[in-house]
Amino acid sequence: MEQEYQEKQEGRLGTFLKPLADREFQYLSSLVYQYCGINLHEGKRELVRARLCKRLRELNLDSFVDYCRYLQEKNPPEEITLLLDTLSTNLTSFFREKQHFDFLQRELPNLLRQKKTKGSSRLRLWSTACSSGEEPYSMALVVAEAIVSTGVHCDVKILATDISSSMLRRAEAGCYSQERVKDISPALKFKYFQYEDGQYTVNPELKKIIAFRKLNVIGPWPFQGPFDVIFCRNMMIYFDKETQLELVGRLHQCLTEDGYLFVGHSESLIGISHAFRHIQPTVYQRI
Ligand SMILES: C[S@@+](CC[C@H](N)C(=O)[O-])C[C@H]1O[C@@H](n2cnc3c(N)ncnc32)[C@H](O)[C@@H]1O
């Protein structure tokens, strides 16, 4: 909902901007689709126009025709990264879709005890589209607290990936304004953040369990897992059914037996053939 609102507002601003004709829109949308699977259908044209006008100004280009020519003729490798950074929606927040974190908080103690019984100490989680980091840090907070409450120590690693280099830089910095940390309890803020000059910075101890990496989820993955928990939230909505289907199959392959998959509030595995047990809305378990 928040995402749709943000996009509509930007689309309205597009009224004052340069025209984006069919040919250029089709060229840009197929480039983006090929590179990262994002499906820029006709309904996104105003959004593309509004967001890219700023990039045109930065490059001193007069029109979308010039921009497409620049991409075709010069093919600067960094431009595709900037194009995606400009077009992708990075909206996120700490403990977004709280029911997922409540679920983790309930399940993790059992999972940790089961692992201990089996003589395993390895716990792996993956945030597949981590944006500016709020999602993997929220996961880390829940895991750290579960370890404290159960007293079961384990080797925890959270892999946090995104296609956007600028978002990953922000995520790695782990530095957030007062407004952005408003959904974190005072006790957790006190325990896991340092406060200075109006900014909250994640403690090095918590950061240490997260590895931030640039990754295009529709490209090759240089790891196999297995992961106990995968968050793949609010990215699949931008993909078409075919891309979603393939991605869900690959995620299934790299989950542990009984591993959990969390998807975003407007995503579901309905219509995608898969081998998951439905646990609660947007929470699935590998069969
Ligand atoms: C709306 S944010 C979701 C952030 C977080 N998962 C959440 O739910 O709050 C979507 C993120 O998906 C990333 N993204 C889009 N296409 C991607 C791709 N092909 N591979 C990896 N990340 C991608 C974007 O860069 C953006 O940061």
Side-chain angles (χ1 to χ4, degrees):
M1 289 295 267
E2 315 129 81
Q3 234 152 269
E4 276 166 32
Y5 177 75
Q6 185 189 336
E7 292 182 2
K8 276 200 186 115
Q9 290 298 98
E10 288 178 66
R12 274 185 204 119
L13 287 173
T15 330
F16 307 101
L17 305 169
K18 297 178 198 304
L20 173 58
D22 289 352
R23 202 158 58 115
E24 285 71 41
F25 177 62
Q26 273 152 22
Y27 171 73
L28 291 169
S29 42
S30 73
L31 191 69
V32 168
Y33 181 74
Q34 275 163 33
Y35 187 73
C36 70
I38 294 179
N39 178 21
L40 294 171
H41 51 79
E42 183 54 38
K44 299 275 180 186
R45 188 195 292 237
E46 283 308 301
L47 179 83
V48 171
R49 185 159 82 110
R51 289 196 179 171
L52 278 182
C53 270
K54 182 166 170 271
R55 186 71 199 127
L56 262 63
R57 276 197 301 278
E58 283 163 2
L59 290 167
N60 248 328
L61 295 172
D62 284 335
S63 66
F64 280 99
V65 176
D66 291 346
Y67 183 58
C68 292
R69 198 175 298 131
Y70 171 72
L71 283 166
Q72 275 165 331
E73 289 173 5
K74 299 238 163 70
N75 194 19
E78 72 284 2
E79 187 57 31
I80 186 84
T81 308
L82 284 167
L83 175 69
L84 294 175
D85 272 4
T86 314
L87 291 180
S88 58
T89 298
N90 306 111
L91 193 83
T92 187
S93 56
F94 280 99
F95 297 107
R96 180 182 192 186
E97 298 174 45
K98 189 174 168 293
Q99 71 281 8
H100 289 162
F101 297 95
D102 292 342
F103 181 89
L104 258 194
Q105 198 177 14
R106 278 195 312 273
E107 287 305 310
L108 272 177
N110 299 334
L111 192 63
L112 290 173
R113 287 189 200 103
Q114 279 165 17
K115 280 187 180 281
K116 192 178 174 193
T117 314
K118 288 184 194 158
S120 158
S121 66
R122 184 184 177 281
L123 183 70
R124 294 290 181 268
L125 299 91
W126 180 16
S127 161
T128 59
C130 69
S131 189
S132 41
E134 288 86 336
E135 180 177 278
Y137 287 125
S138 303
M139 293 159 84
L141 288 169
V142 175
V143 172
E145 287 296 286
I147 291 175
V148 172
S149 72
T150 55
V152 178
H153 284 277
C154 66
D155 157 34
V156 191
K157 282 272 174 310
I158 300 176
L159 173 66
T161 59
D162 202 282
I163 199 169
S164 163
S165 314
S166 61
M167 284 301 124
L168 282 168
R169 277 194 295 276
R170 282 170 59 177
E172 271 180 300
C175 191
Y176 301 95
S177 67
Q178 193 134 15
E179 169 60 21
R180 293 200 75 84
V181 297
K182 67 179 186 328
D183 294 326
I184 306 177
S185 73
L188 288 182
K189 271 193 288 227
F190 181 74
K191 206 164 158 187
Y192 296 103
F193 289 79
Q194 280 155 21
Y195 179 73
E196 209 184 325
D197 297 334
Q199 295 285 310
Y200 285 84
T201 305
V202 181
N203 280 346
E205 281 303 299
L206 195 70
K207 266 190 191 169
K208 229 170 43 190
I209 65 172
I210 308 179
F212 290 100
R213 298 281 181 273
K214 185 170 165 118
L215 182 86
N216 179 354
V217 287
I218 69 154
W221 299 348
F223 50 80
Q224 293 174 332
F227 296 95
D228 300 280
V229 171
I230 298 180
F231 273 45
C232 184
R233 308 187 314 158
N234 304 303
M235 167 174 61
M236 277 198 294
I237 30 163
Y238 300 108
F239 298 162
D240 60 14
K241 265 278 168 285
E242 202 186 321
T243 312
Q244 292 178 358
L245 184 71
E246 194 186 331
L247 177 59
V248 170
R250 291 174 76 195
L251 293 174
H252 182 273
Q253 291 296 310
C254 64
L255 272 169
T256 53
E257 244 177 74
D258 296 341
Y260 292 108
L261 173 66
F262 295 77
V263 300
H265 61 288
S266 44
E267 299 159 329
S268 89
L269 303 193
I270 295 170
I272 300 179
S273 63
H274 54 79
F276 285 100
R277 185 179 301 122
H278 179 253
I279 303 288
Q280 66 178 54
T282 64
V283 180
Y284 299 86
Q285 186 171 31
R286 181 182 166 153
I287 299 174

